Amino acid sequence: MEKWQNQTEKQMLEQIRSSIGKVQLPVDSYNEQIMNRIEHMEIKGGSKLIKKTLAAACVAVMIGLGTVTAGFISPVWADTLSQFPVFSSIFKHTDPGLKLAAEKGLTTSPNMSVTKDGVTLSVTEVFYDGTRLAIGFERAGIMDERVLAEITDFKTHDFDQSTKGLLGLPVVTQVSGEPISFGSSSTGDVEGQAQTLLLELNELRNTAALGDEFKVDISVPVAQIAEPFEFQVTVKKVTEGVINLTPGQGASKGSFHYTVKSLDITPATLRLIVTSEGEVPASPEQTGEYAPTEVFYELVDDAGNVINPRQMGYAMAKAVQHPILDNLYNTLPQIPKTITVRPYTCTFDSELNILLDANGERVKTYYKELETTIVIP
Amino acid sequence: MEQGNPGGQVNPNMIEEAIHKVRAGEKHAFTSVITAYERQIYTYCYYILRSREEAEDAVQDIFVKVYQELGRYEKRISFSAWLYKVAYHHCLDQLRRHKRRSRLMSLYKLQLVRETPESPVNSPVDRMFGDLTSEERSLLILRVIEQYSFEEIAQITGSSSAALRKKYERLRRKLIQQKANEGGCTRGEVAESN
């Protein structure tokens, strides 16, 4: 602190304090705008803060995770409700695709429960469409609000065992013991719905070998209970309303070229697999301290509905080129006549922050010459 | 200068509790953090960026960023200082972007400046700020308004506290001189600071 100040300086500093102290916010508060942006960001891009788990077969590709939310259903009612799809199900508050699947009665309700040492775990609902496998769980007998434990090591699936009844990551295998092969998975408590957990295995692979109906073993470790909770569940594939295409279409810009290897449309999900090669295109603005991100693939149907991948995470490196990209999208309102693939990049600043517009949306750079339209037969 | 309460009149326990809740998944608790600091951060951005519109954007960007990075906040530094650290770097980034844009669109930028009626150029203090660099404006607010120690300002800005002391001394002399030039002081004897 200053030893002494002359009168003029004191007055001057007081003047500064007084003047600056009078500055008022132009609005009452930015609370609403900021929270809206945070909300939007989490829906679209996944939250770094409240994400529960992400176990990815290819972690380098999958960065970020959408918050998993789902509804709740008592297993006692599950069988009945599946016959009356208008009613609620565990997938009620999940993404529109799963919700729709539940409403259309496309989910199955195994209604299986296992009780050990005062903890009851039930598998309440299952959905499988060849692109993803979603399984809903309900826990009873534990007061703790948390269902999924903090996962301390995703490789070993080690989790916080300090509170009895917290669940570790469920493991789903074929009855032969072979793993179910997937691109990414998400596991998380059902937001706002106590005692439920949703597991999704996404971008499933080698599904032809699984067939339209197969059994899976589900093993769920529980804190402070020696043996895991085990279930054997029959999974039935939704086949009605499923369209599988291998368009082989693509487009080029500079050295960059991509091809749509496959497009699967199911009642709950849209899956696009794209291969690409060459350098990620950069606009004149994406030079110097700015750089393009990887290429994202937005889809637009003939009615103008625009959908983006459910996982909007991205690699924290400039212009990353993915030889293969396997993305799940939320379903479109109806089966479209055409789907246009609209590739774009976002822009990193020098610190790898994605540039946002005034509404907090990512600034997108589209490349008209990279668009391709796929006709849905 | 009396030692004040760096970061303003905010109850640090209330803020720590809100942070704890947000980290535990109670997203809504973040509104207490916003309410507690938004005016200070807006004011800071306003004087650094010298544009009401940009300060409005900046304050929102900063809180979104703080929310995203909350998991990385450690108590080695007070929360308010950490918040200012995010704000300081954000404003510097904005100013750097300005420079880049101004190279590209100098004419348009000139127009923008002219058309910004809220540019703080009216009061004597605003005029005083007009002659300072953005670094000096930041230092003045953090030191005089928020009453952070040089060590805390060093944590916020990434400079050394010794360098900041020197800069602050120069800044004081500059301000005294400015005042003298305005006729407010004939013998601008400047005190030393420790």
Side-chain angles (χ1 to χ4, degrees), chain A residues 37 356-361 363, chain B residues 57 60-61:
Chain A
R37 274 179 60 178
L356 302 175
D357 65 17
N359 298 319
E361 301 277 357
V363 176
Chain B
D57 289 344
Q60 295 175 50
D61 290 343

Side-chain angles (χ1 to χ4, degrees), chain A residues 333-349:
Chain A
Q334 56 199 18
I335 294 175
K337 292 185 182 119
T338 64
I339 286 182
T340 299
V341 181
R342 211 157 62 176
Y344 67 89
T345 56
C346 296
T347 304
F348 279 131
D349 67 13

Side-chain angles (χ1 to χ4, degrees), chain B:
Chain B
M1 191 194 297
E2 286 175 6
Q3 179 62 51
N5 168 25
Q9 304 301 313
V10 178
N11 177 350
N13 290 338
M14 187 269 281
I15 292 301
E16 290 299 334
E17 193 186 330
I19 293 167
H20 182 74
K21 283 183 178 173
V22 178
R23 283 172 156 176
E26 285 183 50
K27 192 164 46 185
H28 196 71
F30 194 62
T31 55
S32 327
V33 179
I34 300 170
T35 307
Y37 291 110
E38 60 183 338
R39 198 192 70 81
Q40 285 164 261
I41 296 298
Y42 169 79
T43 305
Y44 179 76
C45 297
Y46 178 59
Y47 278 97
I48 304 298
L49 300 171
R50 298 180 60 71
S51 153
R52 171 179 146 171
E53 202 175 38
E54 286 185 36
E56 283 194 273
D57 289 344
V59 73
Q60 295 175 50
D61 290 343
I62 288 161
F63 278 103
V64 169
K65 203 165 192 172
V66 161
Y67 177 85
Q68 286 178 299
E69 300 291 320
L70 209 49
R72 287 166 61 180
Y73 163 61
E74 294 170 6
K75 282 185 184 173
R76 283 182 303 183
I77 178 171
S78 73
F79 179 75
S80 69
W82 185 66
L83 187 56
Y84 269 107
K85 186 175 180 174
V86 176
Y88 170 79
H89 289 286
H90 183 85
C91 287
L92 284 198
D93 277 352
Q94 287 300 106
L95 292 170
R96 275 198 288 268
R97 285 197 185 116
H98 263 285
K99 278 186 185 167
R100 182 175 178 272
R101 270 206 302 270
S102 69
R103 285 200 298 272
L104 296 170
M105 308 188 293
S106 54
L107 192 66
Y108 179 57
K109 190 187 168 212
L110 269 175
Q111 218 168 3
L112 263 187
V113 171
R114 283 199 201 107
E115 288 175 3
T116 308
E118 290 83 12
S119 273
V121 291
N122 302 321
S123 74
V125 168
D126 293 336
R127 281 199 298 277
M128 186 190 295
F129 268 70
D131 290 333
L132 303 181
T133 65
S134 54
E135 286 280 353
E136 288 171 333
R137 296 197 294 271
S138 168
L139 182 56
L140 196 60
I141 291 178
L142 295 176
R143 182 68 181 153
V144 175
I145 308 297
E146 296 299 345
Q147 305 189 11
Y148 283 113
S149 68
F150 287 113
E151 285 70 28
E152 286 171 311
I153 301 173
Q155 286 183 310
I156 292 170
T157 60
S159 310
S160 78
S161 57
L164 287 166
R165 280 172 201 274
K166 283 182 190 166
K167 273 185 193 169
Y168 187 66
E169 276 315 306
R170 281 200 296 273
L171 175 57
R172 290 175 70 203
R173 290 172 206 277
K174 188 172 173 178
L175 290 173
I176 294 285
Q177 191 57 50
Q178 269 186 19
K179 196 76 180 168
N181 292 346
E182 284 178 8
C185 176
T186 49
R187 286 177 297 183
E189 193 174 3
V190 179
E192 293 298 317
S193 65
N194 59 15

